[in-house]
Amino acid sequence: MERVLTKEMPPEKELKKQFDDFTSVEKNQRDMEKHRRVAIAPNGSVVPEVPKSLREYIMGFCTERGLRFESELIATLTDKERTREIYEKAFKRKFRDLGEEDRQRQVEEILNEIEQALNEEFPGHNVLLNTGLEVANEDDLKMLHKYTSDLDDFIAYASYLRERNISVGANVLVGAPRVEEPIRKALETVKFAFEKMQADKILMITWNPVKHTAAKGLYDQGLVDVMSATESAEIYLQAKAAYPNKEIEPNRMRSHVLHGKHPNFRESRINTDERKQRARENVRRIAKEVFKLN
């Protein structure tokens, strides 16, 4: 959290101009019309990383055009006391020169803003908030150093939003590094999102070795590989077959081009018709077991 806090946001006029510039691009207009939403991806939380004035401006834009306002929220931020602990710790690390009184005041302002957004601004206004579920396995969440490894936190988050007439979204990380049986885990996470969280939508994201992360270092050493496009696509197709009436969006990152590039994985690269067919059949077999498909 401390990495995304900032003492000063750009002026309100500049923020709105940036949004206006984005919406004036013809391609973006087509995308909004096609998907019927405007999605903002802040660093973990829609509040306060997206200031109230900008949220209201974008939500007004969405209301006028019948679009959904879509963003993200850390699951535990629906718990006020845990939110206080998170932000107090973040402020102490990020802004060490702040006095106790100023820090407490700023943390309280953030708490009030989150409460207002979730209880006044968003309810009943065609809003969907995604959260980073990633992998529905508590041991894997600990290994990935998630802010919570308790799956009950995601269930509580979803219940909190539904009670306020806010739609629930969950991000599913496909092929997370060092996760054993990644295909099965991805499918199990889809099942958890729809059946335990009762999510309205999931976003399936194939893991990408992002620069300056520990996992990128593992990828460079040939200790982990990126999942193939064949497997990722089949996971998506099997999820759609299991939940045909649910909204499932695949992330379009081109991470698949990195599959099998390291010498350690070239021999097992899924790059022939025969290997692709075997990979698809393997995903289908696992999906049958996870989803109890006929």
Side-chain angles (χ1 to χ4, degrees):
M1 184 69 71
E2 64 270 13
R3 289 179 298 177
V4 301
L5 289 173
T6 179
K7 283 188 176 180
E8 290 187 24
M9 280 283 182
E12 179 180 330
K13 185 177 181 180
E14 174 60 25
L15 290 171
K16 291 179 179 179
K17 180 182 182 301
Q18 290 177 16
F19 180 73
D20 289 340
D21 290 344
F22 173 84
T23 58
S24 67
V25 176
E26 187 176 345
K27 179 184 180 299
N28 295 337
Q29 293 173 0
R30 291 198 303 269
D31 285 345
M32 286 185 287
E33 190 61 32
K34 176 182 177 181
H35 298 289
R36 304 305 302 159
R37 71 174 185 272
V38 172
I40 298 178
N43 287 297
S45 168
V46 66
V47 281
E49 282 84 355
V50 179
K52 181 180 178 182
S53 60
L54 182 59
R55 292 197 308 269
E56 290 178 339
Y57 188 67
I58 297 173
M59 288 178 68
F61 176 92
C62 291
T63 299
E64 288 176 7
R65 293 158 179 80
L67 305 176
R68 184 170 71 195
F69 176 86
E70 188 170 315
S71 194
E72 299 178 354
L73 187 70
I74 292 174
T76 53
L77 291 191
T78 58
D79 183 320
K80 188 171 183 178
E81 289 313 306
R82 290 175 75 175
T83 304
R84 184 188 302 278
E85 291 176 10
I86 289 171
Y87 275 100
E88 283 186 349
K89 185 183 294 184
F91 267 86
K92 286 178 181 178
R93 289 180 180 175
K94 181 76 173 181
F95 306 127
R96 297 182 181 182
D97 57 331
L98 272 180
E100 178 70 19
E101 186 175 334
D102 284 340
R103 183 171 64 249
Q104 290 296 333
R105 176 182 56 79
Q106 292 190 39
V107 169
E108 200 62 38
E109 287 174 358
I110 288 174
L111 291 174
N112 291 337
E113 186 175 358
I114 292 173
E115 286 278 303
Q116 185 178 44
L118 294 177
N119 290 285
E120 298 176 25
E121 293 176 37
F122 294 162
H125 285 88
N126 196 15
V127 172
L128 181 143
L129 297 180
N130 294 293
T131 196
L133 171 60
E134 317 299 14
V135 183
N137 180 282
E138 295 187 346
D139 290 335
D140 289 332
L141 290 174
K142 290 176 185 175
M143 184 265 295
L144 293 171
H145 304 294
K146 286 290 292 183
Y147 56 87
T148 179
S149 59
D150 188 346
L151 291 175
D152 286 341
D153 283 337
F154 296 99
I155 295 173
Y157 158 87
S159 177
Y160 183 100
L161 295 190
R162 279 197 304 278
E163 288 172 1
R164 288 157 178 77
N165 195 20
I166 302 171
S167 297
V168 178
N171 298 335
V172 177
L173 187 59
V174 178
R178 297 191 294 157
V179 167
E180 295 182 3
E181 297 190 86
I183 294 171
R184 184 177 298 275
K185 294 285 179 62
L187 295 168
E188 288 175 345
T189 305
V190 170
K191 184 175 183 178
F192 179 89
F194 284 140
E195 298 187 13
K196 298 296 185 181
M197 291 177 63
Q198 299 177 42
D200 299 285
K201 171 194 172 180
I202 63 170
L203 174 62
M204 302 185 74
I205 307 170
T206 301
W207 174 71
N208 189 36
V210 178
K211 290 182 179 179
H212 311 303
T213 62
K216 175 64 163 58
L218 294 174
Y219 172 81
D220 290 342
Q221 296 172 58
L223 299 177
V224 296
D225 195 14
V226 174
M227 185 170 284
S228 72
T230 300
E231 291 169 315
S232 295
E234 193 62 38
I235 289 170
Y236 167 75
L237 292 173
Q238 292 305 308
K240 286 292 290 182
Y243 301 97
N245 299 318
K246 290 288 190 176
E247 187 177 352
I248 305 176
E249 178 185 348
N251 186 284
R252 300 301 184 187
M253 282 195 305
R254 297 288 296 169
S255 57
H256 314 297
V257 299
L258 299 174
H259 167 69
K261 287 298 179 73
H262 194 279
N264 289 2
F265 298 106
R266 281 179 189 160
E267 289 301 315
S268 58
R269 190 175 186 189
I270 301 174
N271 59 351
T272 66
D273 289 343
E274 183 182 357
R275 286 183 173 182
K276 289 178 181 179
Q277 185 58 32
R278 286 205 305 266
R280 293 188 191 100
E281 290 172 356
N282 183 51
V283 174
R284 292 166 191 164
R285 176 185 60 79
I286 297 172
K288 269 190 175 184
E289 296 172 3
V290 172
F291 298 139
K292 306 295 191 271
L293 298 172
N294 295 324

